[in-house]
Amino acid sequence: MKLYISRMILGVFLLSTQFIFAQNLSKNQFKVKGNCEMCKERIENTAKKAGAKTANYSIDLQTLTLETDNTISTDDILKKVAEAGHDNEKFKATDTTYEALPGCCHYDRDLQPKATENHEHHSKKENEFYVKGNCESCKARIEKAAKDAGADSAEWNAEKQMVTLNFDPKKTSSDKILKKIADVGHDNEKYKSNDKTYKNLPSCCLYDREIPLGEANPKVHFEEGIQSEHSGHSDPGNSNEENNQDHHQKTIEGVTVTGGKSATSISKKEAGLVFNIDKKELLKAACCNLSESFETNATVDVSFSNAVTGTKQLKMLGLDQKYTSLTKELLPEIRGLASAYGLNFIPGRWIESIQLTKGGSTVTNGYESITGQINTELLKNAEKPETSLNLFSDFNGRAEANITSVSPINEKWSQTFLLHGNGTFGDTDMNDDGFLDRPKGTQLNAAYLLNYNDLEKSGLGSHFGINFIKDERTSGQIGFDKKIPQDEQSLYGVGIDISRFQIWNKTGYVFKGKPYQSLGWMNQYTYHQQDSFFGLRNYSGKQQTYYSNLIFESILGNTNHKYKAGASFMYDGYDETYLTNNFKRNEIVPGAFAEYTLTGLKYTLVAGARVDFHNLAGTQFTPRLNFKYDFTPQTILRLSAGKGFRTANVFAESQQYFASNRNVQILQNGGNIYGLKPEIAWNYGASLQQEFKIFGRKSTIVADFFRTDFQDQVMVDLDRSPQQLTFYNLERKSFANSFQTQWDFTPFKNFEVRLAYKYYDVQADYLDGRREVPFMAKHRGFVNLAYSTNKNNNGGFWSFDTTLNLVGKQRLPNTSSNPEEFQLPTYSESYAILNAQISRNFNKKIRAYLGGENLTSYYQKNAIVDFKNPFGNYFDGGMVYAPIMKANFYVGLDVTF
């Protein structure tokens, strides 16, 4: 009996001990950086050795869950984890330990420890409490709930994720207030909101419930205040969440006040398919101007269009650049008479970022976009004065210099000076045909930007800009003297002189107490003059354009329902002379538009329409629709449909064919623009964006398909005769199908890979039957590799970049009626182009680079038909399908003061 009682007492004692011990265990979760299964094993083993009873690390959530007893300090465990090489919210690993980790374990070191260097914890005051939220709407809701619960005052800080309360303890309590805050949808340190209330919050207020209380919310910098709408993105609530902006960005429609982002990213929040290209991406190539800014981008195709003038053109979705809206600061830029050479007027070193939208863009930015929009933002953001000098030279006589200076004047005003000069002085003739492969000449380009930002107080922001360009080019046969009239010398020459002046202003106002409501007004005046000759042919033109756009933005009930409405006005005055024929016209286009954005938990719908009263093209109705559905945060489907229209500038847009013997013929059909009707097209698109991890790192695949159907089109017919350039309106069908798949991934630290494949099917019904549109390869491949070394203590590192473009065969215009020696094959050859660059950042101030273009040295032989007889019947410099220059090398230097 005694033995039995003793065993009972011992059993009760053991059970009690286990129960007491279990009661002393506590569970905590901490942010810890890691990449792969090796990281997981290392972190968990280290934590257990440091005293944790259990340790579970989640790679996806980047969290370590610890179970410890009260005798073990979680700080001691996290310190050991840091000593093993893994940054966490309390301690940071040493650089030596981090670098010693295997390559697959090198995570991005963007997590800052909460503790200071001596590891003292932040202590909040008695009246401060952690409350989760995202934006200004959250702030208003939290503070109102607190006051409704009896607080005398409440101030919620988004960055600290903390509310400061002042209340009379006799009337209410912190528990009562925090309970009320949870009831309206906001988790806090004492109460958690129920799931139904949380899910009914507006989409901009849906904070991440997995982030530990008190930790910085990454959405705060993107969703607070009025959000940016760069480049007419289809979703007007563009917050660019994935871009990890360096500074807080607060904007109104068309007026960007501050901001910055890194690399190239696909916006996950946009309803449309939008690529954000940062100036860091532009440094991967020579990028002397906008035409060279897409060498590392798979979406845009860049090609030479004339062997005499060396002109470059962009193509997107299988169609010429004239069907893409090209804007600067969201204002119309490369259009009209600037179509042929406008890409040379935006220097690469002036560019802060580019936003590229595939398919129909927002109706708020006009009616001309058919295949998409490319918007360029100029340098204008700086917290402290920064002046940069760029010097560039290639090995064939081209030199450039850029000076950019961005500086704050005071708290509200900042200014930017931009200066560019270039010159091409060498006689480059790599194919020995006696013609220059690119024009010689100079360009002087200067701009001044002035910015005012008082959005936080008065709600007012404004941006002013002025730009002047003088560009002079000479091309043709080597030895041609531009000073001597063409009819007095036997050598063939081309002269192109352009003067351009622009002045613009964008002003916006955010209504006080209503951060979701704003008014923006944009105005721009452009004067463009071109005087040119192509052998014995002359072409000159003047264009004056005034553009105005007024946009009001607000909500219907809550931020799930946003709308924009406004009015625009466009005036284009053209005065052109070709040979002895003069063409004058004035296009006057008042318009009105409205756009509605519906945002749900997993979807965004943007529906818009505009009506424009064109004095020559008649009344045009332009609807556009974009829809995005997030199956998961990593799987995104987008659908789009929209209409666009434009008036064709047949002379300015076809100058690549002027250096030839072709006679221009316009088959008029009763229209009011050169006797032709406007171009009208529908564009439909679908894309699927999928993110996943490979090699323990983020990877993204995007597949998209777009179709463009022309309701009417101005056909440029090169097939009727090799001696004719014929324009006429489409009578039947014209379409372009574009399919692209792109894969971005990082096999190991600092090494980025971008692979893409494109398929184009572009056909049109010409007068004599359906044919493939010439100079368009059906198949294209793209490979971009980028590697950089780790930064040293001075901020120095090496970068290595290379891009391979594979271009399939292209249909060439019919030249069968020419003599045999001047006939082109039906299809061109396939070819590959390789570009590469090595750069060295010695520190944060000095960078040098060396690069090569077309390193495969593939070039089009006999790019000029009948080059020996430029004044004869068969001469043609516009039959270009490939580079006309062999490998070219360049060097450059960037210095920041």
Side-chain angles (χ1 to χ4, degrees):
M1 184 69 177
K2 290 182 179 179
L3 179 61
Y4 176 73
I5 293 173
S6 298
R7 287 179 177 178
M8 285 186 62
I9 294 172
L10 179 61
V12 171
F13 174 76
L14 290 172
L15 287 171
S16 301
T17 303
Q18 290 177 12
F19 178 76
I20 293 168
F21 181 73
Q23 291 297 307
N24 288 332
L25 290 178
S26 58
K27 222 173 191 181
N28 294 282
Q29 194 176 78
F30 303 93
K31 280 288 183 181
V32 178
K33 298 293 287 186
N35 261 351
C36 58
E37 291 297 329
M38 288 179 65
C39 296
K40 176 179 171 69
E41 183 178 357
R42 184 183 305 108
I43 292 168
E44 291 176 352
N45 288 341
T46 302
K48 290 174 183 177
K49 288 179 182 178
K53 292 298 178 184
T54 63
N56 184 35
Y57 180 68
S58 169
I59 300 173
D60 290 334
L61 298 177
Q62 297 281 283
T63 56
L64 173 63
T65 303
L66 297 174
E67 193 174 57
T68 62
D69 61 46
N70 293 337
T71 64
I72 301 297
S73 167
T74 55
D75 276 15
D76 291 340
I77 296 174
L78 292 174
K79 187 175 182 181
K80 289 293 184 183
V81 170
E83 290 173 357
H86 293 273
D87 295 351
N88 54 69
E89 64 183 65
K90 298 286 184 68
F91 302 95
K92 189 172 183 179
T94 65
D95 292 343
T96 303
T97 306
Y98 170 79
E99 295 297 341
L101 292 175
C104 64
C105 298
H106 282 158
Y107 49 84
D108 293 329
R109 306 192 75 183
D110 60 355
L111 181 63
Q112 297 301 318
K114 287 183 180 178
T116 59
E117 289 184 5
N118 59 358
H119 312 306
E120 293 179 0
H121 294 281
H122 168 74
S123 57
K124 55 190 181 69
K125 299 175 184 177
E126 272 187 34
N127 63 337
E128 293 178 338
F129 303 90
Y130 291 124
V131 178
K132 288 190 175 185
N134 280 344
C135 58
E136 288 292 332
S137 295
C138 296
K139 177 179 173 69
R141 187 182 305 107
I142 292 168
E143 292 175 355
K144 182 179 184 301
K147 292 174 184 176
D148 289 346
D152 296 325
S153 67
E155 179 70 26
W156 182 73
N157 184 289
E159 291 188 13
K160 293 181 180 179
Q161 295 283 283
M162 187 182 293
V163 66
T164 302
L165 301 175
N166 288 314
F167 59 89
D168 185 348
K170 296 178 181 178
K171 298 179 180 179
T172 188
S173 67
S174 60
D175 274 15
K176 183 178 178 181
I177 296 171
L178 293 173
K179 178 68 168 60
K180 183 68 174 178
I181 290 173
D183 288 343
V184 299
H186 293 272
D187 295 351
N188 53 70
E189 62 182 67
K190 291 195 175 182
Y191 298 96
K192 186 175 182 179
S193 175
N194 67 58
D195 291 344
K196 184 177 180 181
T197 305
Y198 168 79
K199 289 178 181 178
N200 284 334
L201 290 175
S203 62
C204 63
C205 300
L206 293 176
Y207 49 86
D208 189 341
R209 305 188 87 175
E210 299 298 324
I211 297 177
L213 282 163
E215 185 166 315
N217 180 355
K219 285 190 177 182
V220 164
H221 297 289
F222 308 103
E223 300 198 7
E224 188 177 31
I226 299 297
Q227 299 166 329
S228 167
E229 177 174 336
H230 289 303
S231 78
H233 297 168
S234 302
D235 178 5
N238 171 29
S239 59
N240 294 336
E241 178 179 333
E242 69 279 8
N243 288 332
N244 296 328
Q245 295 186 348
D246 300 319
H247 307 295
H248 177 65
Q249 177 171 302
K250 191 170 186 182
T251 62
I252 61 175
E253 174 73 40
V255 182
T256 305
V257 180
T258 61
K261 49 186 182 296
S262 58
T264 294
S265 60
I266 303 172
S267 176
K268 292 176 67 176
K269 289 187 69 67
E270 297 287 353
L273 185 56
V274 180
F275 295 80
N276 296 297
I277 305 170
D278 188 77
K279 59 184 177 181
K280 295 177 183 177
E281 181 76 20
L282 303 181
L283 293 178
K284 293 181 178 181
C287 192
C288 296
N289 54 58
L290 188 61
S291 71
E292 299 173 337
S293 299
F294 300 99
E295 288 188 5
T296 60
N297 182 280
T299 295
V300 177
D301 303 312
V302 184
S303 60
F304 284 99
S305 60
N306 188 276
V308 178
T309 62
T311 313
K312 285 186 176 180
Q313 291 281 297
L314 304 180
K315 294 184 179 182
M316 193 160 77
L317 304 189
L319 292 170
D320 292 338
Q321 76 175 37
K322 59 188 177 184
Y323 299 112
T324 300
S325 175
L326 299 169
T327 61
K328 181 177 70 179
E329 302 283 337
L330 285 177
L331 296 161
E333 179 63 12
I334 302 173
R335 56 184 298 277
L337 301 192
S339 298
Y341 310 106
L343 294 173
N344 300 321
F345 298 156
I346 303 180
R349 286 300 187 272
W350 290 18
I351 299 173
E352 184 168 75
S353 63
I354 298 173
Q355 296 81 42
L356 189 159
T357 304
K358 296 181 74 171
S361 60
T362 175
V363 294
T364 62
N365 286 336
Y367 51 81
E368 291 184 322
S369 170
I370 292 175
T371 59
Q373 180 173 354
I374 298 175
N375 179 64
T376 303
E377 295 287 334
L378 301 180
L379 292 170
K380 53 185 176 291
N381 300 312
E383 292 183 330
K384 58 183 180 180
E386 182 175 286
T387 300
S388 297
L389 169 67
N390 166 252
L391 300 174
F392 171 94
S393 177
D394 71 14
F395 290 12
N396 289 289
R398 175 183 172 185
E400 295 196 6
N402 293 277
I403 298 176
T404 62
S405 178
V406 188
S407 59
I409 299 173
N410 54 39
E411 290 184 359
K412 298 179 181 179
W413 292 90
S414 64
Q415 62 183 353
T416 302
F417 293 92
L418 302 170
L419 183 63
H420 168 85
N422 74 57
T424 304
F425 309 103
D427 291 341
T428 305
D429 179 19
M430 294 188 178
N431 57 3
D432 298 321
D433 60 6
F435 278 78
L436 294 172
D437 292 338
R438 63 182 179 187
K440 296 195 296 184
T442 59
Q443 181 188 114
L444 179 64
N445 196 339
Y448 174 72
L449 312 178
L450 183 65
N451 297 283
Y452 175 78
N453 174 18
D454 193 33
L455 291 174
E456 295 287 349
K457 295 182 180 178
S458 67
L460 191 65
S462 188
H463 166 69
F464 167 85
I466 188 169
N467 181 211
F468 174 77
I469 301 169
K470 183 69 174 176
D471 189 278
E472 298 179 348
R473 301 290 161 182
T474 304
S475 189
Q477 290 181 300
I478 295 175
F480 172 80
D481 190 348
K482 188 179 180 182
K483 297 177 182 178
I484 302 174
Q486 176 68 83
D487 57 4
E488 296 181 10
Q489 57 182 315
S490 60
L491 296 176
Y492 183 96
V494 172
I496 303 168
D497 296 343
I498 295 175
S499 299
R500 184 174 175 87
F501 171 78
Q502 285 181 306
I503 185 169
W504 67 89
N505 174 258
K506 301 191 297 181
T507 298
Y509 175 73
V510 178
F511 289 78
K512 197 169 183 65
K514 298 180 179 180
Y516 50 80
Q517 185 168 297
S518 64
L519 183 68
W521 192 23
M522 298 182 277
N523 291 274
Q524 177 175 263
Y525 169 76
T526 301
Y527 175 82
H528 183 100
Q529 178 174 337
Q530 175 180 331
D531 296 295
S532 56
F533 63 88
F534 303 81
L536 296 173
R537 304 178 184 214
N538 63 286
Y539 171 73
S540 63
K542 293 180 182 179
Q543 176 184 351
Q544 295 189 71
T545 296
Y546 171 66
Y547 171 78
S548 183
N549 199 17
L550 181 67
I551 306 171
F552 175 75
E553 179 177 4
S554 190
I555 62 173
L556 297 169
N558 59 52
T559 53
N560 279 352
H561 305 271
K562 298 177 184 178
Y563 73 90
K564 293 180 182 180
S568 66
F569 179 80
M570 174 80 84
Y571 167 80
D572 283 316
Y574 294 102
D575 185 354
E576 299 174 276
T577 299
Y578 179 70
L579 300 179
T580 59
N581 300 313
N582 182 250
F583 301 87
K584 287 185 178 181
R585 75 181 192 276
N586 294 321
E587 296 186 18
I588 302 171
V589 196
F593 55 85
E595 187 173 76
Y596 168 70
T597 301
L598 172 64
T599 306
L601 186 62
K602 289 191 172 185
Y603 65 86
T604 303
L605 174 69
V606 182
R610 61 179 299 128
V611 59
D612 294 279
F613 307 95
H614 199 294
N615 65 319
L616 300 180
T619 301
Q620 299 287 341
F621 178 69
T622 307
R624 288 177 187 162
L625 181 73
N626 285 273
F627 177 76
K628 177 177 74 78
Y629 186 81
D630 298 354
F631 290 101
T632 71
Q634 291 76 39
T635 307
I636 300 174
L637 173 70
R638 292 181 173 88
L639 303 173
S640 67
K643 182 183 176 185
F645 84 94
R646 63 183 298 276
T647 57
N649 289 276
V650 296
F651 291 103
E653 294 166 359
S654 302
Q655 292 184 57
Q656 65 264 40
Y657 306 119
F658 284 0
S660 72
N661 71 314
R662 291 178 181 267
N663 294 315
V664 173
Q665 182 182 27
I666 301 176
L667 305 182
Q668 300 183 0
N669 71 345
N672 294 318
I673 302 102
Y674 307 105
L676 300 171
K677 294 179 180 178
E679 298 189 287
I680 303 172
W682 287 86
N683 181 276
Y684 315 92
S687 68
L688 185 65
Q689 178 179 345
Q690 177 66 57
E691 291 182 355
F692 57 96
K693 285 197 173 183
I694 185 171
F695 308 114
R697 297 177 182 275
K698 180 182 174 182
S699 174
T700 303
I701 288 182
V702 177
D704 61 73
F705 175 81
F706 288 89
R707 179 180 174 90
T708 306
D709 278 311
F710 281 91
Q711 180 178 320
D712 208 337
Q713 184 180 18
V714 174
M715 307 300 297
V716 182
D717 196 337
L718 299 168
D719 294 294
R720 284 171 62 86
S721 167
Q723 283 73 49
Q724 282 187 353
L725 173 62
T726 308
F727 301 100
Y728 52 84
N729 277 112
L730 176 73
E731 291 189 353
R732 291 183 290 277
K733 288 187 176 182
S734 176
F735 62 86
N737 293 322
S738 166
F739 170 78
Q740 177 176 327
T741 181
Q742 177 175 322
W743 182 19
D744 291 67
F745 64 99
T746 305
F748 53 86
K749 183 189 176 186
N750 299 338
F751 182 47
E752 299 174 353
V753 178
R754 182 173 300 150
L755 307 175
Y757 166 75
K758 290 179 285 188
Y759 172 80
Y760 297 130
D761 179 20
V762 187
Q763 300 183 43
D765 289 328
Y766 293 87
L767 290 180
D768 54 355
R770 180 171 296 184
R771 295 192 300 275
E772 295 178 24
V773 172
F775 305 120
M776 177 54 61
K778 275 196 172 185
H779 303 279
R780 286 178 177 264
F782 176 91
V783 180
N784 175 250
L785 308 175
Y787 175 74
S788 60
T789 61
N790 293 322
K791 292 182 180 180
N792 60 28
N793 293 334
N794 295 323
F797 61 95
W798 288 89
S799 293
F800 306 87
D801 298 280
T802 185
T803 302
L804 176 68
N805 276 286
L806 305 169
V807 182
K809 65 180 184 178
Q810 306 166 51
R811 188 184 80 79
L812 302 180
N814 183 8
T815 56
S816 59
S817 62
N818 277 351
E820 186 175 350
E821 63 268 32
F822 304 134
Q823 292 180 13
L824 299 174
T826 304
Y827 284 90
S828 69
E829 300 174 328
S830 299
Y831 62 89
I833 299 176
L834 180 67
N835 299 330
Q837 179 178 280
I838 300 173
S839 63
R840 169 63 172 169
N841 288 65
F842 296 97
N843 49 47
K844 294 181 180 179
K845 302 290 187 180
I846 301 175
R847 171 181 177 264
Y849 54 99
L850 167 69
E853 298 177 306
N854 192 17
L855 295 178
T856 54
S857 271
Y858 180 87
Y859 69 101
Q860 183 178 341
K861 301 173 181 64
N862 299 324
I864 301 175
V865 178
D866 195 12
F867 61 85
K868 294 181 180 179
N869 187 18
F871 297 100
N873 289 333
Y874 309 112
F875 171 73
D876 197 339
M879 301 294 99
V880 178
Y881 63 84
I884 55 179
M885 291 179 62
K886 299 179 185 178
N888 185 29
F889 297 90
Y890 61 85
V891 294
L893 177 69
D894 293 318
V895 181
T896 302
F897 304 96

